[in-house]
Each structure stands twice: as structure tokens, then as C-alpha cells.
Amino acid sequence: MDKDTLPKQNSTPFQYRLRQLGLPVAIFIVGTVLSLNLAKHEANRQRLELEDRFKATVQQTTRVLQEKVDRFTLLMKAGRGLVLNHPDTPTLQLNRRWHQMFDSYEMRYSDFGIIGLSYTRYIAPDERQAFVDRFNQDSPRKLTIFPPPAPNQPSFLVMHLTPAAVESRMLGYDIYNGDSRRKAALQAMTSGTMSATQPLSLLPTDINSLDYLLLLPVQTNAAFLGWVTLGFSMSQLVQESLNDLTNPLRIQLIDPRQGSQSISYDSHPELGQPEPSLQHAASLTLAGQEIHLKISPLDPDLHREASSQYHDPTLISGLSLTLLVASLLLFFIQARHQALRLSNHMAARADEMYKRYRTLFTQSPEAIVVHVNGVVELANEHAAALFGCNSPDKLVQLSIDTLVHPDSLGFVRDRGAALERGEALKPAEQKLMRLDGSTFEAEVSSTMIQYRGKQAIQVMFRDITSDKAQRQESRIAQAVFRHSHDAIMVTDGRGRIELVNAAFQKLTGYAPAAMTGRNVSVLNSGHHDSSFFHRMWMALINTGEWSGDIVNRTREGRLYIQETNITAVKDEQQQTQHYVCLMRDVTEQRRGLDYTQLQALKEQLAQTHGLSQ
């Protein structure tokens, strides 16, 4: 035996064993303390890392949700542009244009959470019945307003709705009668900006659905026309976002307008109250309204890791440095792999959303330019055509100032500063310049967006040069109509009177209000036979014009000779929509001509009606 293995003299066996176990025990105690401290330190470090990763996941999920909501704005502005570009188009034709445009996008709107995209028209109480009568006369569909409106309240009528399958059920629905819809509509009408309703139940068959209705006002300088409305399922957007995640999450939405602590939607209501560990708060912006989110993980292991005081693998393997290093290395490899998978997935989703945005951007009927720090980064074909170049690439890298007339430069810069401050801007008129130096007037809408990770301004242009000219022509025509000494009568294509001027009342004795909707035959004296009117109508059909004398009768029964000029007004399909009739009393001018038969007829009719010449 080695002498060192033997007990020393004067040492008892107990003392020997105590000395032998002392160092191992001390190492065990020190190693245990070090392992506990290291495990506790590692647990704290991992908890912070877990919270950071979870916070990044929450931010990415919230950003994806926000981008899904924000893309609705482009669709709604496309609908508003269509209505503003065709303000006087008959309802049936505008309906066809509406469906042609949105069907051309080849989108399954339900895949984007969209329940319905519609144009809701504002109808004043005194115009409601005439509007319904015109619609039912011109359209094979019958318009019935429901719920029935009160006589003194306006109507907010759903007219054109995508998808078409929903339109047949919702045509004529008056959203004025819904408290939340009415409040949001009036808010958008008065503010001139997009508004959102409080949570609605647009999908009544889904008891766990959270839906919203967005309303974008449509108005010109002259009048308020209505709203482009978009109903969507927020709960569907939330579920789609959750389905795309590797680690399952629970999302609770709180709309502050329903009460600060009231849960508007819970993706997993069956789980009861969530654990406080790792719960993170975020928010979405919906038409200027902030929607609060409470997001927590569903994986119980994540909750245990977040609440654990010690890191079990480190504690168990604390006495083995090799095993500890291997365990940490494996953990970091797994963590990095998971982070890379999540990053690649989010990058793919972001790329997909960018492509969808480019599709909407390219196919939009509006001219659109995106600029970063005043330099154009993106433009569509409509913008190229508007600014007088054959390709959008000609606009890229140009300073936005080169497209703005010097008279509007200060105004444009003020609007850009307001956008950077987070203010919502109403559409405004500006004076712009084409690349060849020519100027034009445009209505401009500006929005702050994220473009390739940078703050950018998206600008939508609509050339209103012709609109302003048309408005000026309309004002001139109205002045001529009101102040003309000649009587003027406007009828529809079937001869029903729609409009007369003051001179008409002076000539015929009929007040304008009494003539609206009546047939022109009310003026017939009975002097002319059917062949006379047949020849007149054939001339109007063949040439669009007719001139001649007509013997008519006033409201008091007096016969007079009327010099008449009739002109047909046709639409884009060359279909006659109106007739404009200029009338002048020429009885005195025709006196002395051969009107013996007419005079005899006048005397006969005067005797019949008890009147004297």
C-alpha cells in the first residue's frame, strides 16, 4: 500500500474519512453555489432574451396587422377616384364601371378579410323620392330603401358593392339607421377624413367575429356625394397573422371607445385570463383611432422559462464544464435557427405584401408618386402620362420640386412638414408642372407610408383642369338659363319636363315647381294633328334638331304662336337623354300672315272656355 493512503498515526478513522471527504465536500458545496449562481444568472439572461424575442415577434405581428389594415386605404381611394372622375354618370353606368374596375384586380376580397367594398350615396330628404323614381325607371333592378327612413332624415344608401353577390342583398340599405354607422359617417362627412365605426357584427353567423366599417368621404368643391365604405373582419386578419407564426400567440383587442378594459375580441376566449408573464401591449391605428392589443404566448414552456428562478440545464450540468458549454452552444444554435426561420418567413410575407402593393399601385386609376426626402422613388403609368413622359422611370430620382409650380412650392412643403408631424391631410388643389414645362391644376392627396424600410410620402394626383373648366361652363350656363329672355324648357328623353326657367312662367303662366315631372303635352292646344308631331319627332331622331312654329295654349287657356327650337342632348353612347327647347311668343310677329284658320280655331276655343279674345 502507498503510505499516503494509510491513516496517519494518532488519527482516528473518523478523522481520516473527514479529511478525505473535506475537499470533495468543499468542492461540491462551492460547485453547487457556483452552479446555483450561474444557473440563476443564466435564467435571468434567458428571461431577458426571451422577452426581447417575444417583443420583436409582437412588434412584427403588430406591423403585419397594421399593413393589412393600411392597404384597405388604397382600395378605398381607388373607389373614390372612380366616383370623382364620373360625378355626373348615371347610377347604372357608374355601377358597371365600379364592378369592371374592382373585378379587374382579380382579387379574392374574402382572402384579405374584406366583407364588402361599396359606394354609399348621400341623399337629402327632399331628393329621396325623385332619386328612387329615376333609379327604378332607368334600371332593371328595383331600389327599395330599408329600413324605411323618417321623412325629415337624410338617407345614406348602399349603391355599388363588391363582391357583386352581396350587392343584391344590400342595395338600398340605409346605414343612417345604424347608430355606429351613422356616427362614423357623419364624422367622416364633417372632418373630410376617413373614419371607422365601433366594432360591428357584419358576419352574424360568426359569434366570435370582430368587424369594422371604414368610411372615406367623397366630395367635390361643390357638393358632398357620399362615402366609399369598406367592411372587414378584424378577427380574420388576426387569425391569419397567428396562423403564419411558428410560436402560437394569443391576441386580445380592446377598442377604447367601448370602455378602457372591455375586451372587444379574444383569439382564445376559452383559456380564461392569460398569465402575466411575457404579456406585451401594442396598438393598431384604424382611421385615426387607436386599437389596443394584449399579446401573450400560448406555449406553456415559454411561460415556465419566463417565471423560472433557475436555469435547470445549467443547474444540473453546473459541475461539468463541457456539458455546460455543449448545452449553451445547442441552445444558441436552436435560438439562432428559430430566429432565422422567423426572419425569413416575415421577409417572405413582407415581399408578398410588397408585390400586392405594387399590383394595386400599378393598376390604380389614380396617378401615384412615392418620394423619399423629396426624391421620387416610385411612380405608376398614370403618373407618367399625367406629367407628360412615356415611362414612370423618367420620373424616378427627380426632385418632387421639379413637378410643382413655383406658386405652390411653399404650400407643398408645409403639407410635407404636417405629414411628418403625423397630421392627416385633406385633399387639396395644387398647381403642377409637366416635364415639358406646361402647367395644370390637380387635386392632390398625400399620405405618410413605409417604403422599403424608409419614411416616404405617397401622393395621389387627379387632373382637375377640365373639371374646373366644366364648373365654369356650368356656372355660365346657369346664368344664361336664369336670365334669358327666351323661355327655356328641359325634358328627359320621353318628354317629361325636368327644368324650366323664369321666362317660361312668364310665357305660359305655369310655375316651374308645377311643371316638374309633367309631360310637354300639357301645353298642347289641339291645333296640330298627329302627323305634325310625328314629323317633328322624326326630325329630332334623325338630326337631333327641329325648328318651327307651334300653336300652344297658356295656363289661362290663351292660344299663342310659339317659335320653337328643340335640340337633343345625347350621352356617350349617342342615346338621347334630354331635349332643350327654346320658346318665344311670335304671335304679334306672325300677325297679318295667313292665319285665318288659326284665328277661327282660337275664337272657337275661346268660346268653349268662356274667354274673349
Side-chain angles (χ1 to χ4, degrees):
M1 294 180 61
D2 190 279
K3 64 180 179 178
D4 293 333
T5 63
L6 295 175
K8 295 182 178 180
Q9 291 181 354
N10 302 323
S11 296
T12 66
F14 175 77
Q15 293 174 330
Y16 172 76
R17 290 187 176 276
L18 184 60
R19 287 195 302 270
Q20 197 174 35
L21 294 175
L23 183 59
V25 169
I27 293 176
F28 176 79
I29 294 173
V30 172
T32 300
V33 171
L34 290 176
S35 296
L36 288 171
N37 290 332
L38 184 60
K40 188 172 184 178
H41 174 76
E42 182 66 14
N44 290 334
R45 186 194 66 79
Q46 287 203 3
R47 181 163 50 252
L48 293 175
E49 183 177 294
L50 187 62
E51 291 173 354
D52 290 339
R53 290 205 313 273
F54 179 71
K55 183 177 180 181
T57 301
V58 167
Q59 292 174 345
Q60 182 65 35
T61 303
T62 305
R63 186 162 51 249
V64 169
L65 274 173
Q66 187 67 62
E67 290 173 353
K68 289 181 178 181
V69 171
D70 289 344
R71 65 190 175 196
F72 296 151
T73 302
L74 192 59
L75 280 173
M76 298 178 72
K77 288 185 176 180
R80 182 179 66 180
L82 174 65
V83 175
L84 290 176
N85 286 331
H86 304 86
D88 300 322
T89 301
T91 301
L92 188 60
Q93 296 181 29
L94 183 59
N95 185 267
R96 286 196 295 266
R97 290 178 183 271
W98 181 276
H99 288 288
Q100 286 172 359
M101 182 179 76
F102 286 109
D103 290 345
S104 68
Y105 293 162
E106 297 182 354
M107 296 172 53
R108 285 174 53 90
Y109 290 94
S110 59
D111 292 346
F112 294 87
I114 298 175
I115 300 170
L117 174 63
S118 69
Y119 171 55
T120 300
R121 182 163 180 168
Y122 172 85
I123 306 293
D126 57 345
E127 299 173 352
R128 179 164 45 230
Q129 188 58 49
F131 176 82
V132 172
D133 291 342
R134 286 197 304 272
F135 183 94
N136 290 336
Q137 176 185 337
D138 298 334
S139 173
R141 303 180 300 169
K142 295 304 176 185
L143 175 62
T144 301
I145 300 177
F146 65 98
N152 60 345
Q153 76 178 33
S155 289
F156 305 163
L157 299 186
V158 175
M159 298 301 300
H160 319 305
L161 195 148
T162 299
V166 183
E167 184 180 73
S168 60
R169 301 195 305 270
M170 297 300 296
L171 175 64
Y173 177 67
D174 191 349
I175 69 173
Y176 186 91
N177 291 278
D179 185 64
S180 179
R181 294 176 174 89
R182 180 177 66 256
K183 288 181 180 178
L186 293 175
Q187 178 184 351
M189 182 178 180
T190 55
S191 67
T193 59
M194 184 185 298
S195 68
T197 64
Q198 291 193 23
L200 299 173
S201 181
L202 298 177
L203 296 173
T205 57
D206 188 350
I207 61 174
N208 197 30
S209 177
L210 177 68
D211 309 322
Y212 283 94
L213 185 66
L214 299 176
L215 298 97
L216 179 67
V218 181
Q219 60 187 9
T220 64
N221 291 335
F224 182 82
L225 303 180
W227 305 262
V228 174
T229 61
L230 187 146
F232 71 99
S233 172
M234 178 68 80
S235 51
Q236 180 178 335
L237 298 184
V238 170
Q239 289 297 335
E240 288 178 354
S241 301
L242 294 180
N243 292 339
D244 295 333
L245 297 175
T246 302
N247 291 325
L249 297 178
R250 178 184 185 179
I251 296 182
Q252 295 174 309
L253 282 83
I254 300 173
D255 192 326
R257 296 173 294 176
Q258 292 187 310
S260 59
Q261 300 300 323
S262 176
I263 302 298
S264 302
Y265 173 76
D266 191 343
S267 63
H268 296 80
E270 72 281 359
L271 298 182
Q273 290 296 325
E275 293 290 336
S277 58
L278 287 183
Q279 189 177 68
H280 189 73
S283 63
L284 295 174
T285 301
L286 183 64
Q289 296 290 337
E290 191 170 77
I291 309 299
H292 301 315
L293 304 178
K294 288 185 177 180
I295 304 178
S296 55
L298 292 177
D299 189 348
D301 293 335
L302 294 181
H303 287 287
R304 283 196 297 270
E305 290 181 30
S307 58
S308 176
Q309 293 296 317
Y310 297 98
H311 184 239
D312 292 340
T314 303
L315 183 61
I316 294 173
S317 59
L319 301 177
S320 174
L321 182 61
T322 302
L323 184 59
L324 176 62
V325 171
S327 299
L328 291 176
L329 180 61
L330 179 61
F331 169 78
F332 285 118
I333 291 175
Q334 290 177 343
R336 178 175 175 78
H337 178 68
Q338 182 179 359
L340 287 175
R341 285 184 59 191
L342 181 60
S343 175
N344 291 338
H345 180 73
M346 292 303 179
R349 293 288 295 174
D351 185 64
E352 179 184 356
M353 294 184 65
Y354 175 75
K355 290 178 180 178
R356 292 176 180 173
Y357 172 82
R358 285 298 299 265
T359 300
L360 292 174
F361 181 91
T362 303
Q363 296 181 359
S364 172
E366 297 279 2
I368 306 177
V369 168
V370 175
H371 65 88
V372 177
N373 296 326
V375 178
V376 177
E377 294 285 344
L378 190 63
N380 64 0
E381 294 287 347
H382 293 286
L386 182 63
F387 287 101
C389 54
N390 56 11
S391 170
D393 294 337
K394 299 291 186 180
L395 298 175
V396 175
Q397 296 305 309
L398 287 180
S399 171
I400 199 70
D401 290 352
T402 63
L403 306 178
V404 180
H405 191 274
D407 293 347
S408 296
L409 269 178
F411 180 68
V412 170
R413 289 168 181 167
D414 290 344
R415 284 171 63 87
L419 283 174
E420 291 179 355
R421 293 193 299 269
E423 299 179 14
L425 301 181
K426 297 180 180 179
E429 293 184 8
Q430 297 176 11
K431 192 173 183 181
L432 304 179
M433 297 180 59
R434 296 185 175 90
L435 297 187
D436 61 4
S438 61
T439 62
F440 64 97
E441 298 284 341
E443 183 186 76
V444 179
S445 300
S446 303
T447 308
M448 187 70 72
I449 65 170
Q450 285 288 327
Y451 178 76
R452 296 192 179 277
K454 302 177 182 177
Q455 285 281 95
I457 297 178
Q458 175 181 277
V459 187
M460 302 179 69
F461 304 90
R462 185 171 67 89
D463 190 345
I464 60 172
T465 305
S466 61
D467 290 351
K468 297 185 73 172
Q470 289 176 3
R471 290 197 293 268
Q472 182 64 19
E473 292 175 2
S474 176
R475 288 191 288 268
I476 294 172
Q478 290 175 5
V480 171
F481 182 85
R482 287 194 300 268
H483 302 295
S484 174
H485 294 293
D486 289 341
I488 303 175
M489 176 176 64
V490 180
T491 75
D492 63 13
R494 299 183 179 181
R496 284 191 294 270
I497 298 173
E498 293 187 346
L499 197 63
V500 297
N501 67 349
F504 178 91
Q505 181 176 2
K506 184 177 179 181
L507 174 65
T508 66
Y510 288 99
M515 297 302 291
T516 302
R518 301 183 68 178
N519 196 279
V520 294
S521 61
V522 70
L523 303 175
N524 191 357
S525 66
H527 174 72
H528 303 286
D529 57 16
S530 60
S531 63
F532 172 85
F533 291 105
H534 177 73
R535 290 192 299 273
M536 179 183 70
W537 284 107
M538 290 304 297
L540 286 172
I541 292 172
N542 293 331
T543 67
E545 296 180 349
W546 183 86
S547 300
D549 288 355
I550 299 176
V551 178
N552 273 345
R553 180 177 59 196
T554 67
R555 185 174 182 272
E556 295 78 15
R558 180 180 65 85
L559 295 177
Y560 67 97
I561 303 171
Q562 175 184 293
E563 183 185 72
T564 309
N565 293 279
I566 305 176
T567 302
V569 180
K570 300 180 182 294
D571 61 12
E572 297 173 352
Q573 286 74 38
Q574 296 302 306
Q575 298 296 317
T576 299
Q577 299 296 319
H578 299 88
Y579 292 101
V580 178
C581 180
L582 302 180
M583 304 179 294
R584 179 183 301 169
D585 188 349
V586 295
T587 304
E588 293 300 323
Q589 291 89 325
R590 302 295 188 263
R591 188 178 299 279
L593 298 179
D594 186 12
Y595 280 98
T596 303
Q597 183 179 2
L598 170 62
Q599 189 64 27
L601 178 60
K602 290 170 65 178
E603 293 175 356
Q604 178 184 353
L605 292 175
Q607 293 172 1
T608 302
H609 291 84
L611 303 173
S612 61
Q613 294 295 326

